[in-house]
Amino acid sequence: MRENTPWDCLEVRPILAKEVSLWGEYVKAYHYLGYKSIPGKSLRYIASIRGEWVALIGWGSPALKCSVRDRFIGWDYERKLKRLHLIINNVRFLILPWIHISNLASKVLSLNLKRLSCDFQKVYGHPVYLAETFVDISRYKGTCYRAANWRYVGLTIGYSKSGDKYYRTNRPKAVYLYPLHRKAKELLSATFMPYNFNFIEKERMMVDTLNLPVEGLIEEIKKITDPRKARGIRHPLHTVLGIAVCAVMFGARSYRGIGDWAAGLSKENLRRFGSKRGEPPSEPTIRRVLQRIDVEEFDAKIGMWLTKMQLIKGKAIAMDGKTLRGSGNREESPLHLLSAVVHKEGIVIAQKDVSERTNEITRVKPLFKGLDIEGSVVTGDALLTQREIARHIVEEKKADYLFTVKGNQQELLEDIRALELKKKHQRTAR
């Protein structure tokens, strides 16, 4: 490839599922460390110019022990254990051997770093604030990292890790760091992380400072039928579901996110969720339980708890109809649900199935049955803009509504336009 390749043709992006195998083959064949897997939470990238691969980058979980890094950040051991997930390690960086372009390595690194934290948050539910890498000084000088504005902070003491054991190599490596947030050092070393930065850190304040009534939630969840066989159960159903509910309330939006949130719980907070093991349920356990429970029963209990605690009182609630992807087959139609969702938190507080013999309109009353939504604002799309639904919300549930009106309700649309025109004339007359 010619050296005068314009940089505006250079693209750095995450690999696609179909590219994983080839990415691994190239790294194994051409990187001096080879390749088996990337430890912990991983991201893999490809750098290409006009569609041709020119470089491969791999990121994984940070090193547990790195004294020069820890001194630079200024944290103690306990704080390090709580914040280590906010660091990411550049474990592999390979310019393919047939590519010869000046300054390519530093340019690829710079482009990768610009998107790294956002990509990590999309996959794992939280950002990363600091990137680290270890350069073998017997082979390289770290020139591309310096050119990309990484900071050299010192040398390791010459140990490597194999499995759970450390062994001396007498080959110290240069440690380079790159802040992915302008206040990375302050955030990682702070006694308390600011509330709006990371939902995992929010948990550390959640039970104590917000006084969230976890015990009441657990009592409601205990009434739910456990679909699992008694043999082999390690975590009570109420512990798993209680953690899942609170994780979603504090920002988790995936099974991985819930698992990460659970992993950050202290032993004291785990006890509040009814755990007697002293360790949280894993992400696979949470996933399996959530996929097997009776969703309608679960939603009813959560809605009851939210109502008792008045956590939905005065909130905006959306009526949202969705068809579950993959729930149908040649013999049966896909399952369609009408849900009541708290706008801000995104929490489903109730849902009803909409069969072929019914429609969303007839399922609104059963949806809100047993829920105290007095003072709330209920929103709905044009399909649910019906007089009977509006009357039920205002007169029976003592709430307000905000509905969408489209052209197929011509008479109502004209009345609204006439009302707006009348208000405009009144304002002009004043």
Side-chain angles (χ1 to χ4, degrees), residues 21 28 199-200 223 232 252 328:
S21 178
K28 183 177 181 179
F199 72 81
I200 296 177
K223 302 173 185 176

Side-chain angles (χ1 to χ4, degrees), residues 194-388:
Y195 188 77
N196 61 340
F197 278 111
N198 189 307
F199 72 81
I200 296 177
E201 287 296 327
K202 290 179 186 179
E203 183 278 332
R204 316 211 189 283
M205 296 178 282
M206 179 263 292
V207 180
D208 297 325
T209 61
L210 296 185
N211 294 318
L212 195 66
V214 172
E215 290 78 7
L217 170 64
I218 297 303
E219 288 305 312
E220 287 295 333
I221 294 178
K222 282 182 178 180
K223 302 173 185 176
I224 297 175
T225 303
D226 192 337
R228 300 172 296 175
K229 295 180 180 179
R231 183 178 179 182
I233 292 178
R234 301 182 66 192
H235 299 278
L237 183 70
H238 56 265
T239 298
V240 179
L241 297 185
I243 288 174
V245 170
C246 290
V248 171
M249 292 183 70
F250 280 81
R253 291 295 178 265
S254 66
Y255 291 121
R256 278 179 173 172
I258 296 172
D260 286 344
W261 193 89
L265 286 166
S266 64
K267 290 185 179 181
E268 179 184 356
N269 286 336
L270 282 171
R271 284 194 292 270
R272 294 195 65 186
F273 285 105
S275 173
K276 296 180 180 179
R277 299 185 61 86
E279 60 183 34
S282 64
E283 182 267 338
T285 297
I286 295 170
R287 182 190 295 266
R288 287 194 297 268
V289 170
L290 291 177
Q291 289 175 342
R292 293 183 62 186
I293 60 171
D294 185 324
V295 177
E296 190 166 322
E297 182 184 16
F298 179 48
D299 288 339
K301 297 302 180 186
I302 301 307
M304 190 66 67
W305 173 67
L306 291 169
T307 300
K308 286 181 179 179
M309 299 301 111
Q310 296 188 330
L311 296 179
I312 61 174
K313 202 173 184 66
K315 293 288 186 74
I317 301 172
M319 294 184 291
D320 185 28
K322 279 186 169 53
T323 300
L324 296 185
R325 184 182 301 175
S327 60
N329 52 44
R330 292 182 179 179
E331 299 178 357
E332 298 182 1
S333 299
L335 180 63
H336 189 77
L337 296 174
L338 178 65
S339 304
V341 184
V342 181
H343 271 270
K344 184 177 180 180
E345 288 80 5
I347 301 171
V348 176
I349 56 175
Q351 59 185 4
K352 293 293 180 181
D353 66 296
V354 181
S355 67
E356 294 180 353
R357 296 184 295 274
T358 60
N359 55 51
E360 290 185 5
I361 298 171
T362 62
R363 302 299 281 164
V364 171
K365 285 187 178 180
L367 180 69
F368 289 117
K369 184 178 180 181
L371 289 180
D372 180 9
I373 61 171
E374 182 177 350
S376 298
V377 177
V378 179
T379 66
D381 58 22
L383 176 65
L384 298 171
T385 305
Q386 304 289 330
R387 182 175 299 163
E388 182 59 26

Side-chain angles (χ1 to χ4, degrees), residues 37-44 58-61 88 120 123-124 256:
S37 63
I38 295 180
K41 298 176 181 178
S42 61
L43 292 177
R44 298 169 179 82
W59 301 88
S61 294
I88 191 167
F120 195 93
V123 176
Y124 296 106
R256 278 179 173 172

